[in-house]
Amino acid sequence: MKIKVIVFLLITHFTSIYNVLVNKTPLNIDTLKIEYLTNPIGMDVLKPRFSWVLEAEGRNRYQTAYRILVSSSQEKLNQNEGDIWDSGKITSSDTNQVEYGGVSLRSHTTYYWKVKVWDESNTESSWSETAHWSMGLLKFSNWKGLFISHDVGYDKTDKYDSLYLPPARYLRKSFTPKKKIKKAIAYTTALGLYELRLNGNKVGDDYFAPGWTDYNKRLYYQTYDITEHINEGENVIGAIIADGWYAGYIGYGLLVRLDKVREYYGVNPSFMGQIHLEYEDGSIEIIPTDTTWKSSQGAICEADILMGETYDATMENTGWDSPNYDDKSWETPKVYTYPNGKLQVHPGNLVKNTERIRPIKITEPKPGTYVFDMGKNIAGIAELKVKGLKGTKITLRFGEILKRDGNILTENLRLARATDTYILKGDGEEVWQPKFTYHGFQYIELTGFPGKPTLDAITGLVLSSIQTDASTFSSSNEMNNKLYENIKTTQEANFFDIPTDCPQRDERLGWLGDAQTFMRSASLNADVASFMSKFLIDVDDAQRWYGAYPNFAPFPYSRPNQYAPAWMDAGIIIPYNMYKVYNDTRILEYMYVGMEKFMEFQADASTDFLRPGGGNNWGDWLSVNETTSHDFIGASYYGYDAKLMAEVAEALGKTADAEKYKTLFQNIKTAFAKKYIQENGHTSEDTQTTYALALYFDLFPEHLAKKGASRLAEKIENNGFKFSSGFLGTKHVMLALSKYGYYDIAYKLFKQTEYPSWGYSVVNGSTSIWERWNSYTKDELSNSDINSKMNSFSHYAFGSVAEWMFINAVGIDTEDSGYRNIIIKPAISKEMNFIKGSYKSINGTISSAWNWGKNHLNMDIEVPTNTSAKVYIPTSEVSKIKESNMPLNKNPDIKVLQSEEEFTILKVGSGKYAFKIKT
Ligand code: BGC
């Protein structure tokens, strides 16, 4: 006994000495970003926001002050000369959303910055590494280029029954620098899509530039540093341009025979830009797009996002984008007028090739028809490698699944032709990938291939605007681990400049219902701060004049009344989550006027605080066996909006507005309860979704909420632990069950493999999230909706369970905004042996893991530097809890806040904690 005490004392003694020593280590500064980006070039935010992430050994480590230096050169910054901005020592714990406060930033200028911080004992850190950014062209007068293109004529009369697919346009300009170059920057854009070329190579690694916007309101340009690629003597800059979203086919326009089926923004794609050559003597020469450029057609004969690309290599103008090319046969480009939209820097993330994948199998379902299995359902393109005779024509078609006979299923692509064609030039090995189309696929069908192809004939290029590297998740249930992978794969496939509903059929639109329901999940899988900031500009641009947000954004169609409850509410739910996750109040300010207008629209549409269904209502889209009324959905989302608006107004310091929305919420809640909630705690419609929405949105009267939750649990149990809910209800069923402590039931749903459930898709071999609960079954193709034309296998909406997986199963949430005050409250249940996960928040990586030991429960957590957490331990007996094998009352790092019925709530500072709870 005595020995035990001595050992214990020694351990505690050494731990505290260790901590004292360790606490002396200054804070380490990492992940420097500006406007959510790492060293961006070309930016037009005049007061950009800085962020950094702190790391430190030990516990309770935090920042008490910072100092930022911004210099006009690396040399000045090295000498600690902040000639642009020296913030001085600012007493603050902020490490993000820190606004630039120096002199006015200038066009076409690079800035260098670094930061140092002081910790809890006022110990100064060393300077961070240097980061930098550069400004784009901030004034209209900076622009010298003309919008130019090649005239390919126009010969389309039939709108609906044959496709019109004009060829790509090629532009080139030869130039010779007059002196030694110090820096060369290209500022470029297009109405349409473009690829910039310099001396035979692609410039940058972007795809689908300049991105999709309402081109009547804004057009984004790109900035490329091309210094390294400029040669002495002749250089050639070139551009290939195609219709893209500007002039090509978009969405279901052709399918439903809208008045316009393409050319929603304009008819002729055109390119504009300029190169700034900065010579060593400080002089600048600008090479703008103008009529001294040359234009022509080339090998890309067809290029359309939905329909595919045709490349005739026999028509290549070999060397057209390199020096020493004879362009005598090329024409003078046609000049187009400037668009009405503002020229701006793309605030989000352009599409990139995030992964190259090798096929895993080739089959030959028909002689000469080869099907490549890429192993997972992605969005992207195929790179073809082939050797053969000149004029050989290879056709590539794409599908997400195979029919029984082994051929690809294409019915669900509807009118997206999704076909690429390559015609060989016949001079040895030819490697080709399309530039202006993409497909949603797991399988590629190849016909016309000379001989029998081997696996290396095809490489899959995953295209996405994001990388799903913000979180990790693993559990004792393998199916759920696969589900997590599938959610990420599907998010990557659909975060494609905008959050699309699906990447394969003739749709690929920024449907707002899907986006709002998935927003929080999206932020947990990937850093979507700038991606969603960009999308919110699209949402704001698309708002109807009368206040409703439309069904999708951008909204190119001129159709009236295109709005629906739970879809239009994205205009409030997404900005709210940007604030919650990234502590971003600037986006709230940007959206606020529109959000208020939307609330007025809803007030106007309501009778006695109840908003009816209205618009072209989709209800609880794709629910099964139960239908929730459109009016219920309209009314509940209106209540949720009011609740969120009160928080948004508060965050913006608009106290009177916050009060206004709090009152509105109470009024809605009262009216809602009167109409929809009965005294026995049942909803009048008694569907899973009605309980889920009303409970999660706090619309149940307080005295009936527990009864409502118990009825939801009972209904789920009666339904064999399966869903009857659709896009709107499903994630809220999980969130509502956990909110009221029904953890076991939530896990039974989570682990379910019978239809309808997530597990059903996983056990049926899915690598992605399906649009429908029953999109496909392995054994019973005929009983499924497999041939439905409305059946996508890459639809993230049902993947919105990721929100519950992190907030509840792993148990990581934010109490305030931006994860400064963290909540660790895992839903611990015997239904799982263990769950562990981590999330890279804007304030650092948070992790939480729990598992069952023999007579105890283990909870291991990590709280990032400069944050603190409330930890919910599932016992009311403090004496049962140990941390690092020490009772809590011996542990100075841990404060017991409260010990109640089910939980003991602890407050901890940064650091790692290992809890052991006696069971
Ligand atoms: C889309 C959905 C969307 C829905 C509206 C569909 O065509 O694919 O995801 O939300 O329309 O009901």
Side-chain angles (χ1 to χ4, degrees):
M1 184 66 183
K2 260 187 188 163
I3 292 176
K4 261 194 182 168
V5 172
I6 291 168
V7 170
F8 173 76
L9 285 176
L10 277 175
I11 289 173
T12 14
H13 186 64
F14 282 123
T15 313
S16 36
I17 290 179
Y18 174 76
N19 267 340
V20 170
L21 286 175
V22 154
N23 279 350
K24 289 229 166 95
T25 323
L27 302 178
N28 185 39
I29 307 167
D30 201 12
T31 322
L32 269 66
K33 289 191 181 179
I34 186 157
E35 287 300 308
Y36 302 122
L37 302 168
T38 308
N39 298 333
I41 68 161
M43 179 153 62
D44 57 4
V45 180
L46 299 179
K47 285 194 179 300
R49 294 160 296 173
F50 299 93
S51 71
W52 55 94
V53 174
L54 298 174
E55 277 165 13
E57 290 294 326
R59 290 179 173 174
N60 291 313
R61 306 298 313 275
Y62 52 92
Q63 170 190 302
T64 52
Y66 66 79
R67 181 177 168 202
I68 296 175
L69 282 189
V70 181
S71 308
S72 57
S73 70
Q74 178 75 65
E75 295 71 41
K76 284 194 174 139
L77 194 70
N78 291 347
Q79 285 152 22
N80 300 334
E81 200 186 315
D83 58 330
I84 301 298
W85 187 40
D86 181 346
S87 71
K89 183 176 175 182
I90 306 283
T91 306
S92 165
S93 58
D94 293 347
T95 59
N96 52 64
Q97 310 299 355
V98 176
E99 202 170 85
Y100 170 75
V103 298
S104 294
L105 298 170
R106 298 173 48 180
S107 285
H108 186 66
T109 306
T110 304
Y111 299 97
Y112 303 82
W113 72 283
K114 62 185 178 184
V115 58
K116 71 158 61 170
V117 298
W118 285 261
D119 73 4
E120 63 288 340
S121 19
N122 208 21
T123 306
E124 194 172 329
S125 75
S126 32
W127 285 107
S128 68
E129 306 246 289
T130 300
H132 57 84
W133 85 93
S134 69
M135 298 303 281
L137 301 182
L138 304 177
K139 295 182 189 150
F140 183 67
S141 59
N142 296 142
W143 289 100
K144 309 290 176 210
L146 300 175
F147 280 82
I148 57 171
S149 191
H150 181 66
D151 189 357
V152 298
Y154 191 87
D155 63 357
K156 177 71 180 167
T157 45
D158 163 30
K159 222 177 357 187
Y160 300 121
D161 293 323
S162 68
L163 296 176
Y164 175 50
L165 298 168
R169 286 82 161 156
Y170 290 70
L171 297 162
R172 78 186 301 274
K173 163 86 183 171
S174 151
F175 65 95
T176 304
K178 298 195 179 79
K179 307 169 211 169
K180 253 197 147 22
I181 299 270
K182 189 173 157 209
K183 195 165 86 175
I185 304 286
Y187 299 100
T188 47
T189 187
L191 289 162
L193 297 176
Y194 76 102
E195 182 176 295
L196 189 64
R197 312 280 308 174
L198 177 67
N199 297 330
N201 296 307
K202 172 174 170 154
V203 175
D205 58 357
D206 299 327
Y207 288 76
F208 293 81
W212 188 0
T213 48
D214 180 341
Y215 300 109
N216 300 312
K217 295 199 171 144
R218 64 195 79 243
L219 172 65
Y220 295 139
Y221 67 90
Q222 282 68 48
T223 304
Y224 296 108
D225 188 337
I226 51 172
T227 315
E228 300 297 308
H229 307 285
I230 300 277
N231 303 325
E232 271 179 34
E234 191 195 356
N235 288 266
V236 172
I237 185 91
I240 314 174
I241 41 180
D243 288 346
W245 295 289
Y246 176 76
Y249 290 93
I250 299 179
Y252 53 75
L254 183 60
L255 181 82
V256 304
R257 297 188 164 226
L258 295 181
D259 284 354
K260 263 190 181 179
V261 298
R262 61 194 308 283
E263 297 150 16
Y264 292 101
Y265 301 98
V267 177
N268 295 297
S270 56
F271 171 75
M272 192 279 285
Q274 57 205 46
I275 295 179
H276 288 228
L277 296 179
E278 198 178 316
Y279 294 118
E280 278 193 340
D281 63 6
S283 61
I284 288 192
E285 186 186 351
I286 294 179
I287 299 164
T289 45
D290 58 21
T291 48
T292 65
W293 285 51
K294 292 294 192 103
S295 79
S296 185
Q297 281 174 224
I300 301 180
C301 308
E302 293 178 346
D304 185 86
I305 294 177
L306 295 180
M307 305 306 169
E309 200 159 310
T310 297
Y311 191 92
D312 185 347
T314 64
M315 286 169 67
E316 272 176 8
N317 298 310
T318 311
W320 72 274
D321 53 1
S322 298
N324 303 317
Y325 174 81
D326 180 2
D327 65 10
K328 268 196 216 79
S329 64
W330 285 47
E331 293 169 22
T332 301
K334 202 169 163 176
V335 177
Y336 292 88
T337 48
Y338 260 64
N340 288 328
K342 285 182 217 164
L343 276 169
Q344 290 181 305
V345 172
H346 193 297
N349 316 91
L350 278 168
V351 172
K352 312 255 183 214
N353 171 210
T354 52
E355 195 185 344
R356 284 174 72 88
I357 51 177
R358 319 272 311 153
I360 54 171
K361 199 161 92 185
I362 310 179
T363 50
E364 194 180 357
K366 277 186 292 226
T369 297
Y370 299 98
V371 173
F372 288 68
D373 180 352
M374 304 310 294
K376 64 174 178 175
N377 194 13
I378 62 165
I381 48 176
E383 185 179 87
L384 174 71
K385 203 199 271 182
V386 60
K387 228 183 206 174
L389 294 178
K390 183 175 177 179
T392 308
K393 183 171 151 184
I394 299 173
T395 306
L396 297 95
R397 296 198 312 146
F398 300 82
E400 293 177 286
I401 55 166
L402 299 181
K403 294 184 190 175
R404 249 189 215 294
D405 63 7
N407 284 297
I408 59 168
L409 179 101
T410 55
E411 283 82 345
N412 69 333
L413 306 182
R414 297 193 311 213
L415 296 188
R417 191 187 66 177
T419 302
D420 296 339
T421 307
Y422 183 78
I423 298 164
L424 275 74
K425 58 186 165 193
D427 66 354
E429 187 171 276
E430 299 175 40
V431 179
W432 172 76
Q433 48 166 278
K435 297 182 191 299
F436 303 117
T437 191
Y438 78 98
H439 315 289
F441 63 98
Q442 176 169 344
Y443 300 94
I444 303 166
E445 180 201 83
L446 221 60
T447 47
F449 196 89
K452 217 177 166 67
T454 52
L455 285 173
D456 70 346
I458 289 286
T459 306
L461 272 69
V462 178
L463 298 181
S464 181
S465 294
I466 52 135
Q467 270 178 316
T468 49
D469 58 1
S471 57
T472 59
F473 175 91
S474 68
S475 75
S476 43
N477 188 314
E478 276 310 315
M479 181 279 284
N480 291 133
N481 301 341
K482 177 67 182 152
L483 174 69
Y484 172 63
E485 289 308 315
N486 291 359
I487 295 171
K488 293 199 294 182
T489 302
T490 309
Q491 183 176 347
E492 282 164 22
N494 283 293
F495 275 45
F496 202 99
D497 202 66
I498 57 160
T500 60
D501 54 337
C502 54
Q504 72 299 84
R505 68 174 175 236
D506 54 350
E507 194 132 6
R508 313 186 196 185
L509 297 168
W511 281 94
L512 294 191
D514 310 41
Q516 66 83 357
T517 206
F518 191 66
M519 166 65 199
R520 191 60 180 271
S521 294
S523 75
L524 289 161
N525 296 330
D527 175 357
V528 295
S530 52
F531 179 87
M532 279 296 178
S533 305
K534 185 265 175 191
F535 184 56
L536 283 173
I537 295 168
D538 298 330
V539 172
D540 189 63
D541 282 350
Q543 187 173 21
R544 309 289 86 189
W545 64 268
Y546 44 85
Y549 291 101
N551 282 332
F552 45 83
F555 192 79
Y557 303 154
S558 57
R559 302 180 92 190
N561 301 334
Q562 293 289 302
Y563 59 85
W567 271 252
M568 57 181 164
D569 305 76
I572 287 179
I573 298 170
I574 299 178
Y576 168 79
N577 276 293
M578 282 293 293
Y579 161 67
K580 216 47 201 162
V581 174
Y582 301 112
N583 187 29
D584 191 333
T585 48
R586 195 179 276 182
I587 195 76
L588 292 184
E589 266 157 30
Y590 183 85
M591 300 292 289
Y592 196 72
V593 175
M595 290 160 90
E596 284 237 286
K597 204 165 150 191
F598 173 53
M599 290 306 285
E600 280 160 27
F601 165 78
Q602 299 197 80
D604 207 36
S606 305
T607 315
D608 293 334
F609 302 106
L610 291 174
R611 184 182 83 186
N616 48 353
N617 204 319
W618 315 103
D620 185 22
W621 186 239
L622 303 181
S623 65
V624 282
N625 305 327
E626 279 186 352
T627 307
T628 299
S629 78
H630 293 181
D631 281 353
F632 185 99
I633 288 165
S636 55
Y637 272 88
Y638 184 34
Y640 190 42
D641 290 341
K643 187 166 132 78
L644 300 187
M645 279 302 278
E647 265 192 70
V648 164
E650 194 103 47
L652 293 178
K654 297 178 190 290
T655 330
D657 284 3
E659 284 311 311
K660 175 176 87 182
Y661 289 116
K662 271 184 205 157
T663 309
L664 176 64
F665 174 67
Q666 285 310 328
N667 288 333
I668 296 172
K669 185 168 173 164
T670 308
F672 182 88
K674 207 163 136 200
K675 179 156 183 201
Y676 293 112
I677 314 285
Q678 300 166 358
E679 260 315 302
N680 62 357
H682 290 200
T683 64
S684 54
E685 301 185 2
D686 201 35
T687 62
Q688 290 180 6
T689 293
T690 52
Y691 292 97
L693 296 184
L695 289 166
Y696 188 73
F697 296 167
D698 275 337
L699 291 168
F700 256 81
E702 271 67 43
H703 70 289
L704 295 178
K706 278 194 175 158
K707 281 189 186 164
S710 133
R711 175 63 186 153
L712 173 61
E714 181 184 53
K715 276 182 65 68
I716 302 283
E717 194 159 356
N718 292 345
N719 200 39
F721 303 104
K722 285 179 260 177
F723 288 110
S724 61
S725 50
F727 274 25
L728 307 182
T730 301
K731 83 162 182 192
H732 292 112
V733 167
M734 301 296 282
L735 294 169
L737 285 171
S738 297
K739 184 172 170 183
Y740 289 92
Y742 291 97
Y743 297 165
D744 292 357
I745 296 191
Y747 282 114
K748 283 190 200 299
L749 283 167
F750 189 48
K751 294 192 307 184
Q752 180 62 265
T753 54
E754 275 175 32
Y755 165 79
S757 68
W758 293 291
Y760 182 73
S761 65
V762 175
V763 298
N764 276 293
S766 172
T767 62
S768 50
I769 302 297
W770 299 341
E771 178 173 24
R772 294 164 184 271
W773 285 124
N774 63 343
S775 283
Y776 168 75
T777 64
K778 209 165 13 190
D779 308 317
E780 293 180 72
L781 292 187
S782 52
N783 290 340
S784 74
D785 249 328
I786 191 169
N787 286 318
S788 160
K789 292 197 167 174
M790 177 85 184
N791 190 0
S792 141
F793 294 86
S794 182
H795 236 78
Y796 58 65
F798 278 128
S800 56
V801 66
E803 178 174 347
W804 173 87
M805 287 162 69
F806 284 93
I807 294 181
N808 294 108
V810 176
I812 296 173
D813 199 1
T814 176
E815 188 169 23
D816 53 355
S817 55
Y819 296 86
R820 275 293 293 280
N821 294 305
I822 296 161
I823 296 180
I824 306 277
K825 190 183 179 186
I828 293 167
S829 153
K830 287 274 180 187
E831 288 290 328
M832 287 284 189
N833 293 335
F834 78 87
I835 287 190
K836 76 186 211 194
S838 67
Y839 169 56
K840 226 190 270 175
S841 81
I842 195 163
N843 271 301
T845 301
I846 309 158
S847 67
S848 163
W850 58 268
N851 66 70
W852 294 104
K854 210 161 173 215
N855 293 311
H856 63 271
L857 166 73
N858 294 310
M859 283 175 73
D860 294 301
I861 66 166
E862 188 167 358
V863 178
T865 303
N866 205 35
T867 70
S868 65
K870 275 187 192 158
V871 186
Y872 286 68
I873 310 276
T875 177
S876 56
E877 292 171 63
V878 180
S879 59
K880 286 189 170 172
I881 312 170
K882 280 187 176 171
E883 193 283 314
S884 298
N885 287 322
M886 267 192 285
L888 289 193
N889 55 8
K890 295 265 170 8
N891 203 322
D893 296 332
I894 297 169
K895 203 168 143 195
V896 179
L897 290 182
Q898 191 177 321
S899 206
E900 51 177 37
E901 240 175 82
E902 290 164 76
F903 295 103
T904 294
I905 307 173
L906 310 174
K907 173 101 186 206
V908 298
S910 71
K912 291 182 183 159
Y913 299 85
F915 295 101
K916 205 169 194 170
I917 304 110
K918 239 197 192 154
T919 52

